């Protein structure tokens, strides 16, 4: 099950979302040539990736920020950037460019904290933007629970694209992160960073959602982004009268 796009129009051009995608890609390309050299990559991760035990001991305290711009391979990068592309524009549209950037970084730092608390003695480097993107997904779920998301399903010999409400897609995703986080695994995936980021996204967006009216906001928007055209509709009283020339 892979989300590939949503049906949730926005007004603002998502400059921050595009910049974050470009920045992640450029940073990955800057060290891509080192991927085949184990020693160089180890040195790189020691310096820039998040290692919970070292962070708690006061070493490389900047790594909760730097780690969210690093990726372990092409598929890791593409998967994260796809999710940011799908869900980031609507969140940026609602929050505005500056506040969205703060929300993204704050969600990423909260995700790092979730990972640190889940395994404080770990010396395994943690990298990836997925924690910050999980925060975007959590905020998206709160604001647009009924927005349609096209999901790609592959069934052995055939595939199909099925539109599903965001609350189902994101709810299943979050449930899987919790389930895998609670189950001993050696996959190397930071599930508690995902869960922590997602919950942080919901919590950070709660004040915004309440200012919009809370459940009333859902009633007015039907769980979708507000109608873009409605922002520019003029009431009869707001239309200036035109004085005709005699």
């Amino acid at each position: 099950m892979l989300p590939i796009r949503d049906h949730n129009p926005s007004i603002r051009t998502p400059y921050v979302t595009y910049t974050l995608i470009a920045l992640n890609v450029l940073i990955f390309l800057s060290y891509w040539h080192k991927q085949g050299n184990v020693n160089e990559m180890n040195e790189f991760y020691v310096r820039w990736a998040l290692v919970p035990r070292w962070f708690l001991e006061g070493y490389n305290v900047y790594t909760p920020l730097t780690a969210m711009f690093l990726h372990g391979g092409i598929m890791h990068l593409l998967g994260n950037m796809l999710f940011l592309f799908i869900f980031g524009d609507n969140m940026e549209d609602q929050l505005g460019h500056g506040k969205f950037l703060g929300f993204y970084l704050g969600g990423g730092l909260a995700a790092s904290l979730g990972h640190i608390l889940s395994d404080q003695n770990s010396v395994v480097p943690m990298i990836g933007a997925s924690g910050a993107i999980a925060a975007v997904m959590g905020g998206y779920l709160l604001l647009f629970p009924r927005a349609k998301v096209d999901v790609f399903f592959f069934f052995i010999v055939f595939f199909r694209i099925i539109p599903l409400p965001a609350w189902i897609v994101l709810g299943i995703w979050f449930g899987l992160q919790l389930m895998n986080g609670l189950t001993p695994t050696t996959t190397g995936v930071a599930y508690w960073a995902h869960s922590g980021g997602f919950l942080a996204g919901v919590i950070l967006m709660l004040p915004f959602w309440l200012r919009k009216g809370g459940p009333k906001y859902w009633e007015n928007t039907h769980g979708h982004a507000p109608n873009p055209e409605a922002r520019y509709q003029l009431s009869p009283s707001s239309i200036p009268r035109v004085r005709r020339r005699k």
Side-chain angles (χ1 to χ4, degrees):
M1 187 178 84
L2 177 68
I4 57 174
R5 62 175 171 263
D6 67 346
H7 299 276
N8 210 12
S10 56
I11 288 295
R12 307 176 201 238
T13 301
Y15 294 117
V16 174
T17 300
Y18 293 160
T19 300
L20 287 169
I21 292 173
L23 191 58
N24 276 279
V25 171
L26 289 173
I27 290 175
F28 177 76
L29 292 176
S30 73
Y31 64 86
W32 188 26
H33 64 282
K34 300 179 181 180
Q35 293 280 316
N37 190 315
V38 176
N39 291 331
E40 281 195 63
M41 288 307 301
N42 284 340
E43 291 178 10
F44 180 81
Y45 288 142
V46 163
R47 184 173 183 183
W48 301 112
L50 171 63
V51 179
R53 182 173 176 178
W54 296 352
F55 175 82
L56 292 173
E57 291 175 351
Y59 299 105
N60 297 351
V61 294
Y62 52 83
T63 52
L65 178 64
T66 57
M68 72 174 79
F69 291 94
L70 305 179
H71 292 85
I74 288 287
M75 297 308 297
H76 187 200
L77 173 70
L78 292 180
N80 278 346
M81 294 307 100
L82 174 62
F83 275 63
L84 179 55
F85 180 78
I86 294 171
F87 302 110
D89 63 323
N90 293 110
M91 294 300 296
E92 185 174 349
D93 190 42
Q94 293 297 306
L95 291 172
H97 307 306
K99 289 182 180 179
F100 174 71
L101 178 60
F103 170 79
Y104 179 88
L105 296 175
L109 293 176
S112 295
L113 178 61
H115 177 68
I116 291 169
L117 294 177
S118 71
D119 193 356
Q120 299 178 31
N121 291 316
S122 173
V123 292
V124 178
M126 192 273 287
I127 58 174
S130 51
I133 297 168
V136 173
M137 294 161 65
Y140 189 102
L141 175 62
L142 181 63
L143 294 187
F144 318 116
R146 296 182 63 186
K148 286 293 189 291
V149 178
D150 284 347
V151 179
F152 179 87
F153 286 90
F154 181 75
F155 302 98
I156 304 178
V157 294
F158 66 94
F159 66 87
R160 187 173 181 182
I161 296 174
I162 302 174
L164 295 173
W167 70 269
I168 293 179
V169 177
L170 298 179
I172 290 175
W173 183 89
F174 178 62
L176 289 172
Q177 308 314 304
L178 280 179
M179 183 179 68
N180 286 313
L182 293 169
T183 304
T185 178
T186 57
T187 61
V189 178
Y191 291 112
W192 287 112
H194 297 170
S195 300
F198 192 93
L199 290 174
V202 174
I203 293 169
L204 288 172
M205 286 305 298
L206 267 176
F208 179 88
W209 178 69
L210 291 172
R211 285 197 301 270
K212 290 284 188 178
K216 191 70 176 177
Y217 177 74
W218 286 341
E219 293 178 16
N220 294 336
T221 63
H222 304 289
H224 298 265
N227 183 0
E229 296 180 359
R231 303 188 192 183
Y232 298 100
Q233 289 176 352
L234 297 175
S235 64
S237 61
S238 66
I239 300 176
R241 294 183 178 179
V242 178
R243 180 176 298 175
R244 295 182 180 179
R245 291 184 181 180
K246 295 183 179 179

